[in-house]
Coordinates of all heavy atoms in Angstrom, one line a residue:
M1 N -3.4 -60.2 -18.6 CA -4.7 -59.6 -19.0 C -4.4 -58.8 -20.3 O -3.4 -58.1 -20.4 CB -5.2 -58.7 -17.9 CG -6.6 -58.2 -18.2 SD -7.1 -56.9 -17.0 CE -8.2 -57.9 -16.0
A2 N -5.3 -59.0 -21.2 CA -5.1 -58.2 -22.5 C -5.4 -56.7 -22.3 O -6.2 -56.3 -21.6 CB -6.1 -58.8 -23.5
R3 N -4.5 -56.0 -23.0 CA -4.7 -54.5 -22.9 C -5.9 -54.1 -23.9 O -6.0 -54.7 -24.9 CB -3.4 -53.8 -23.3 CG -2.5 -53.7 -22.1 CD -1.1 -53.5 -22.5 NE -1.0 -52.3 -23.3 CZ -0.8 -51.0 -22.8 NH1 -0.8 -50.9 -21.5 NH2 -0.7 -50.0 -23.5
K4 N -6.6 -53.2 -23.4 CA -7.8 -52.7 -24.2 C -7.6 -51.2 -24.5 O -6.8 -50.5 -23.8 CB -9.1 -52.8 -23.4 CG -9.4 -54.3 -23.0 CD -10.0 -55.0 -24.2 CE -10.4 -56.4 -23.8 NZ -11.0 -57.1 -25.0
M5 N -8.3 -50.7 -25.4 CA -8.2 -49.3 -25.7 C -9.6 -48.7 -26.1 O -10.4 -49.5 -26.6 CB -7.2 -49.0 -26.8 CG -7.5 -49.6 -28.1 SD -6.3 -49.1 -29.4 CE -7.1 -47.7 -30.1
V6 N -9.8 -47.5 -25.8 CA -11.0 -46.8 -26.3 C -10.5 -45.6 -27.0 O -9.6 -44.9 -26.6 CB -11.9 -46.4 -25.1 CG1 -11.2 -45.5 -24.1 CG2 -13.2 -45.8 -25.6
D7 N -11.1 -45.4 -28.2 CA -10.7 -44.3 -29.1 C -11.9 -43.3 -29.2 O -13.0 -43.7 -29.6 CB -10.4 -44.9 -30.4 CG -9.8 -43.9 -31.4 OD1 -10.0 -42.7 -31.1 OD2 -9.1 -44.3 -32.3
C8 N -11.6 -42.1 -28.7 CA -12.7 -41.1 -28.7 C -13.3 -40.9 -30.1 O -14.4 -40.4 -30.3 CB -12.2 -39.8 -28.1 SG -12.8 -39.6 -26.4
R9 N -12.4 -41.1 -31.1 CA -12.9 -40.9 -32.5 C -14.0 -41.8 -32.9 O -14.8 -41.5 -33.8 CB -11.7 -41.0 -33.5 CG -10.7 -39.9 -33.3 CD -9.5 -40.1 -34.2 NE -8.8 -41.4 -33.8 CZ -7.7 -41.8 -34.3 NH1 -7.2 -41.2 -35.3 NH2 -7.2 -42.9 -33.9
T10 N -14.1 -43.0 -32.2 CA -15.2 -43.9 -32.5 C -16.4 -43.6 -31.7 O -17.4 -44.3 -31.8 CB -14.7 -45.4 -32.2 OG1 -14.5 -45.5 -30.8 CG2 -13.4 -45.7 -32.9
M11 N -16.3 -42.7 -30.8 CA -17.5 -42.4 -29.9 C -18.2 -41.1 -30.4 O -17.6 -40.2 -31.0 CB -17.0 -42.1 -28.5 CG -16.3 -43.2 -27.8 SD -17.5 -44.5 -27.3 CE -16.4 -45.6 -26.4
P12 N -19.5 -41.1 -30.2 CA -20.2 -39.9 -30.6 C -19.7 -38.7 -29.8 O -19.6 -38.8 -28.6 CB -21.7 -40.2 -30.2 CG -21.8 -41.7 -30.0 CD -20.4 -42.1 -29.6
S13 N -19.3 -37.7 -30.4 CA -18.7 -36.6 -29.7 C -18.9 -35.3 -30.5 O -19.0 -35.2 -31.7 CB -17.2 -36.8 -29.7 OG -16.5 -35.6 -29.3
D14 N -19.1 -34.2 -29.7 CA -19.4 -32.9 -30.3 C -18.1 -32.0 -30.2 O -18.2 -30.9 -30.6 CB -20.6 -32.2 -29.7 CG -20.4 -32.2 -28.2 OD1 -19.4 -32.6 -27.6 OD2 -21.3 -31.7 -27.5
I15 N -17.0 -32.6 -29.8 CA -15.8 -31.7 -29.7 C -14.7 -32.2 -30.5 O -13.5 -31.9 -30.3 CB -15.3 -31.5 -28.2 CG1 -15.0 -32.9 -27.6 CG2 -16.4 -30.8 -27.4 CD1 -14.4 -32.8 -26.2
N16 N -15.0 -33.2 -31.4 CA -14.0 -33.7 -32.3 C -12.7 -34.2 -31.5 O -11.6 -33.9 -31.9 CB -13.6 -32.7 -33.4 CG -14.7 -32.5 -34.4 OD1 -15.4 -33.4 -34.6 ND2 -14.8 -31.3 -34.9
C17 N -13.0 -34.9 -30.5 CA -11.9 -35.4 -29.6 C -11.2 -36.6 -30.3 O -11.8 -37.4 -30.9 CB -12.5 -35.8 -28.3 SG -11.3 -36.3 -27.1
T18 N -9.8 -36.6 -30.2 CA -9.1 -37.7 -30.8 C -8.3 -38.5 -29.8 O -7.4 -39.2 -30.1 CB -8.1 -37.1 -31.9 OG1 -7.1 -36.3 -31.2 CG2 -8.8 -36.3 -32.9
L19 N -8.7 -38.4 -28.5 CA -8.0 -39.1 -27.5 C -8.1 -40.6 -27.6 O -9.2 -41.1 -27.9 CB -8.5 -38.6 -26.1 CG -7.8 -39.2 -24.9 CD1 -6.4 -38.6 -24.8 CD2 -8.6 -38.9 -23.6
T20 N -7.0 -41.3 -27.3 CA -7.0 -42.7 -27.2 C -6.5 -43.1 -25.8 O -5.4 -42.6 -25.4 CB -6.2 -43.4 -28.3 OG1 -6.7 -43.1 -29.6 CG2 -6.2 -44.9 -28.1
I21 N -7.2 -43.9 -25.1 CA -6.7 -44.4 -23.8 C -6.5 -45.9 -23.9 O -7.4 -46.6 -24.4 CB -7.8 -44.1 -22.7 CG1 -8.1 -42.6 -22.7 CG2 -7.3 -44.6 -21.4 CD1 -9.3 -42.2 -21.9
A22 N -5.4 -46.4 -23.5 CA -5.1 -47.8 -23.5 C -4.5 -48.3 -22.2 O -3.9 -47.6 -21.5 CB -4.0 -48.1 -24.6
G23 N -4.8 -49.5 -21.9 CA -4.4 -50.1 -20.6 C -5.2 -51.3 -20.3 O -6.0 -51.8 -21.2
E24 N -5.1 -51.8 -19.1 CA -6.0 -52.9 -18.7 C -7.4 -52.4 -18.6 O -7.7 -51.2 -18.3 CB -5.5 -53.5 -17.4 CG -4.2 -54.2 -17.6 CD -3.8 -55.0 -16.4 OE1 -4.5 -55.0 -15.4 OE2 -2.7 -55.7 -16.5
E25 N -8.4 -53.3 -18.8 CA -9.7 -52.9 -18.9 C -10.2 -51.9 -17.8 O -10.8 -50.9 -18.1 CB -10.6 -54.1 -19.0 CG -12.1 -53.7 -19.2 CD -13.0 -55.0 -19.5 OE1 -12.4 -56.0 -20.1 OE2 -14.2 -54.9 -19.2
D26 N -9.9 -52.3 -16.6 CA -10.4 -51.4 -15.5 C -9.8 -50.0 -15.5 O -10.4 -49.0 -15.2 CB -10.1 -52.1 -14.1 CG -11.1 -53.3 -13.9 OD1 -12.0 -53.4 -14.7 OD2 -10.8 -54.1 -13.0
E27 N -8.5 -50.0 -15.9 CA -7.8 -48.7 -15.9 C -8.4 -47.8 -17.0 O -8.6 -46.6 -16.8 CB -6.3 -48.9 -16.2 CG -5.6 -49.7 -15.2 CD -4.2 -50.1 -15.6 OE1 -3.9 -50.2 -16.8 OE2 -3.3 -50.2 -14.7
V28 N -8.6 -48.5 -18.2 CA -9.2 -47.7 -19.3 C -10.6 -47.2 -18.9 O -10.9 -46.0 -19.2 CB -9.3 -48.6 -20.5 CG1 -10.0 -47.9 -21.7 CG2 -7.9 -49.0 -21.0
L29 N -11.4 -48.1 -18.3 CA -12.7 -47.7 -17.9 C -12.7 -46.5 -17.0 O -13.4 -45.5 -17.2 CB -13.4 -48.9 -17.3 CG -14.9 -48.9 -17.4 CD1 -15.4 -48.8 -18.8 CD2 -15.4 -50.2 -16.8
D30 N -11.9 -46.5 -16.0 CA -11.8 -45.4 -15.0 C -11.4 -44.1 -15.7 O -12.0 -43.1 -15.5 CB -10.9 -45.7 -13.9 CG -11.5 -46.7 -12.8 OD1 -12.7 -46.9 -12.9 OD2 -10.8 -47.2 -12.0
A31 N -10.3 -44.2 -16.5 CA -9.8 -43.0 -17.1 C -10.8 -42.5 -18.2 O -11.0 -41.3 -18.3 CB -8.5 -43.4 -17.8
A32 N -11.4 -43.4 -18.9 CA -12.4 -43.0 -19.9 C -13.6 -42.3 -19.3 O -14.1 -41.3 -19.8 CB -12.8 -44.1 -20.8
V33 N -14.1 -42.8 -18.2 CA -15.2 -42.2 -17.5 C -14.9 -40.8 -17.0 O -15.6 -39.9 -17.2 CB -15.7 -43.1 -16.3 CG1 -16.6 -42.4 -15.4 CG2 -16.4 -44.4 -16.8
A34 N -13.7 -40.7 -16.4 CA -13.2 -39.4 -15.9 C -13.1 -38.4 -17.1 O -13.5 -37.2 -16.9 CB -11.9 -39.5 -15.2
H35 N -12.6 -38.9 -18.2 CA -12.5 -38.0 -19.3 C -13.8 -37.6 -19.9 O -14.1 -36.5 -20.3 CB -11.6 -38.8 -20.4 CG -11.6 -38.1 -21.7 ND1 -11.0 -36.9 -22.0 CD2 -12.3 -38.4 -22.9 CE1 -11.2 -36.6 -23.2 NE2 -12.0 -37.5 -23.8
A36 N -14.7 -38.6 -20.0 CA -16.1 -38.3 -20.6 C -16.8 -37.3 -19.7 O -17.5 -36.5 -20.3 CB -16.9 -39.6 -20.7
V37 N -16.6 -37.4 -18.4 CA -17.3 -36.5 -17.5 C -16.7 -35.1 -17.6 O -17.4 -34.1 -17.7 CB -17.2 -37.0 -16.1 CG1 -17.7 -35.9 -15.1 CG2 -18.1 -38.3 -15.9
A38 N -15.3 -35.0 -17.6 CA -14.6 -33.8 -17.6 C -14.7 -33.0 -18.9 O -14.9 -31.8 -19.0 CB -13.2 -34.0 -17.2
K39 N -14.6 -33.8 -20.0 CA -14.5 -33.1 -21.3 C -15.7 -33.2 -22.2 O -15.9 -32.4 -23.1 CB -13.3 -33.8 -22.1 CG -12.0 -33.6 -21.4 CD -11.5 -32.1 -21.4 CE -10.2 -32.0 -20.7 NZ -9.8 -30.6 -20.6
H40 N -16.5 -34.2 -22.0 CA -17.7 -34.4 -22.8 C -19.0 -34.1 -22.1 O -20.1 -34.2 -22.7 CB -17.7 -35.8 -23.4 CG -16.6 -36.1 -24.3 ND1 -16.6 -35.9 -25.7 CD2 -15.4 -36.7 -24.1 CE1 -15.4 -36.2 -26.2 NE2 -14.7 -36.7 -25.3
G41 N -18.9 -33.7 -20.9 CA -20.1 -33.4 -20.1 C -21.1 -34.5 -19.8 O -22.2 -34.3 -19.6
H42 N -20.5 -35.7 -19.9 CA -21.4 -36.9 -19.6 C -21.6 -37.0 -18.0 O -20.8 -36.5 -17.3 CB -20.8 -38.2 -20.1 CG -20.8 -38.3 -21.6 ND1 -22.0 -38.3 -22.3 CD2 -19.8 -38.3 -22.5 CE1 -21.7 -38.4 -23.6 NE2 -20.4 -38.4 -23.8
E43 N -22.6 -37.7 -17.6 CA -22.8 -38.0 -16.2 C -22.3 -39.4 -15.9 O -22.7 -40.3 -16.5 CB -24.3 -37.9 -15.9 CG -24.6 -37.0 -14.8 CD -26.1 -36.8 -14.6 OE1 -26.6 -35.9 -15.3 OE2 -26.7 -37.5 -13.8
D44 N -21.5 -39.4 -14.8 CA -21.0 -40.7 -14.4 C -22.1 -41.6 -13.9 O -23.0 -41.1 -13.3 CB -20.0 -40.6 -13.2 CG -19.2 -41.8 -13.0 OD1 -19.5 -42.9 -13.6 OD2 -18.3 -41.8 -12.1
G45 N -22.1 -42.9 -14.3 CA -23.2 -43.8 -13.9 C -23.1 -45.1 -14.7 O -22.2 -45.2 -15.6
P46 N -23.9 -46.1 -14.3 CA -23.8 -47.4 -15.0 C -24.0 -47.3 -16.5 O -23.3 -48.0 -17.2 CB -25.0 -48.1 -14.3 CG -25.3 -47.4 -13.1 CD -24.9 -46.0 -13.3
E47 N -24.8 -46.4 -17.0 CA -25.1 -46.3 -18.4 C -23.8 -45.9 -19.1 O -23.5 -46.4 -20.2 CB -26.2 -45.3 -18.7 CG -27.4 -45.9 -19.2 CD -28.6 -44.9 -19.4 OE1 -28.4 -44.0 -20.1 OE2 -29.6 -45.1 -18.7
L48 N -23.2 -44.8 -18.6 CA -21.9 -44.3 -19.2 C -20.9 -45.4 -19.2 O -20.2 -45.7 -20.2 CB -21.4 -43.1 -18.5 CG -20.1 -42.5 -19.0 CD1 -20.2 -42.0 -20.4 CD2 -19.7 -41.4 -18.1
R49 N -20.7 -46.1 -18.1 CA -19.7 -47.2 -18.0 C -20.0 -48.3 -18.9 O -19.1 -48.8 -19.6 CB -19.6 -47.7 -16.5 CG -19.0 -46.7 -15.6 CD -18.9 -47.1 -14.2 NE -18.2 -46.1 -13.4 CZ -16.9 -46.2 -13.1 NH1 -16.2 -47.2 -13.6 NH2 -16.3 -45.2 -12.5
E50 N -21.2 -48.7 -19.1 CA -21.5 -49.8 -20.0 C -21.3 -49.3 -21.4 O -20.8 -50.1 -22.3 CB -23.0 -50.2 -19.8 CG -23.2 -51.1 -18.6 CD -22.2 -52.2 -18.5 OE1 -22.0 -53.0 -19.5 OE2 -21.5 -52.3 -17.5
G51 N -21.6 -48.1 -21.7 CA -21.4 -47.6 -23.0 C -19.9 -47.6 -23.4 O -19.5 -48.0 -24.5
I52 N -19.1 -47.2 -22.5 CA -17.7 -47.1 -22.7 C -17.1 -48.6 -22.8 O -16.3 -48.9 -23.7 CB -16.9 -46.3 -21.6 CG1 -17.3 -44.9 -21.7 CG2 -15.4 -46.5 -21.7 CD1 -16.8 -44.0 -20.6
R53 N -17.6 -49.4 -21.9 CA -17.1 -50.8 -21.9 C -17.4 -51.4 -23.3 O -16.6 -52.2 -23.8 CB -17.8 -51.6 -20.8 CG -17.1 -53.0 -20.6 CD -17.9 -53.8 -19.6 NE -18.0 -53.2 -18.2 CZ -17.1 -53.4 -17.3 NH1 -16.0 -54.1 -17.6 NH2 -17.2 -52.9 -16.1
G54 N -18.6 -51.1 -23.8 CA -19.0 -51.6 -25.1 C -18.1 -51.1 -26.3 O -18.1 -51.7 -27.3
G55 N -17.4 -50.0 -26.0 CA -16.6 -49.4 -27.1 C -15.1 -49.9 -27.0 O -14.3 -49.5 -27.8
L56 N -14.8 -50.7 -26.0 CA -13.4 -51.1 -25.8 C -13.0 -52.1 -26.9 O -13.8 -53.0 -27.3 CB -13.2 -51.8 -24.4 CG -13.3 -50.9 -23.2 CD1 -13.2 -51.8 -22.0 CD2 -12.3 -49.8 -23.2
V57 N -11.8 -52.0 -27.4 CA -11.3 -52.9 -28.4 C -9.9 -53.3 -27.9 O -9.3 -52.7 -27.1 CB -11.2 -52.3 -29.8 CG1 -12.6 -52.0 -30.3 CG2 -10.4 -51.0 -29.8
D58 N -9.5 -54.5 -28.5 CA -8.1 -54.9 -28.2 C -7.1 -54.0 -28.7 O -7.3 -53.4 -29.8 CB -7.9 -56.3 -28.8 CG -8.7 -57.4 -28.1 OD1 -9.1 -57.2 -26.9 OD2 -9.0 -58.4 -28.7
V59 N -6.0 -53.8 -27.9 CA -5.0 -52.9 -28.4 C -4.2 -53.6 -29.5 O -3.9 -54.8 -29.4 CB -4.0 -52.6 -27.2 CG1 -2.8 -51.8 -27.7 CG2 -4.8 -51.8 -26.1
E60 N -3.9 -52.8 -30.5 CA -3.1 -53.4 -31.6 C -1.7 -53.5 -31.1 O -1.2 -52.8 -30.3 CB -3.1 -52.4 -32.8 CG -4.5 -52.4 -33.5 CD -4.6 -51.2 -34.4 OE1 -3.6 -50.8 -35.0 OE2 -5.7 -50.7 -34.6
P61 N -1.0 -54.6 -31.6 CA 0.4 -54.9 -31.1 C 1.3 -53.7 -31.2 O 2.1 -53.5 -30.3 CB 0.8 -56.0 -32.1 CG -0.4 -56.6 -32.5 CD -1.5 -55.6 -32.6
A62 N 1.1 -52.8 -32.1 CA 2.0 -51.7 -32.2 C 1.9 -50.7 -31.1 O 2.8 -50.0 -30.8 CB 1.7 -50.9 -33.6
L63 N 0.7 -50.8 -30.4 CA 0.5 -49.8 -29.3 C 0.6 -50.5 -28.0 O 0.6 -49.9 -26.9 CB -0.9 -49.2 -29.4 CG -1.1 -48.3 -30.6 CD1 -2.6 -47.9 -30.6 CD2 -0.3 -47.0 -30.4
A64 N 0.7 -51.8 -27.9 CA 0.7 -52.6 -26.7 C 2.0 -52.4 -25.9 O 3.0 -52.0 -26.5 CB 0.4 -54.1 -27.0
Ligands
ZN1 ZN1 -12.8 -37.5 -25.7

């Protein structure tokens, strides 16, 4: 399975977060949701998950 990453810098954010999470899609999704709820004040739910899933990109070889 291809590793994916989500970069907080590409997400709308009011705390100038620079976190990057990389791993398999489900792992990234779970971690990113937990992070979004804990640090960005988002509410866990289908909308948040779909939004994060839409922001996933393939991990560059240097980070894989
Ligand atoms: Zn963040």
Side-chain angles (χ1 to χ4, degrees):
M1 190 190 258
R3 278 160 57 84
K4 300 281 186 181
M5 59 178 266
V6 60
D7 188 339
C8 257
R9 291 173 298 179
T10 67
M11 298 287 189
S13 165
D14 52 2
I15 58 172
N16 290 328
C17 183
T18 62
L19 183 71
T20 297
I21 302 168
E24 292 192 356
E25 184 169 330
D26 288 348
E27 296 171 332
V28 174
L29 206 53
D30 279 350
V33 167
H35 169 73
V37 170
K39 298 294 182 186
H40 294 274
H42 291 295
E43 230 173 278
D44 193 355
E47 248 175 61
L48 177 62
R49 286 177 178 270
E50 281 314 302
I52 291 172
R53 193 187 296 275
L56 293 179
V57 294
D58 289 335
V59 172
E60 291 167 27
L63 292 174

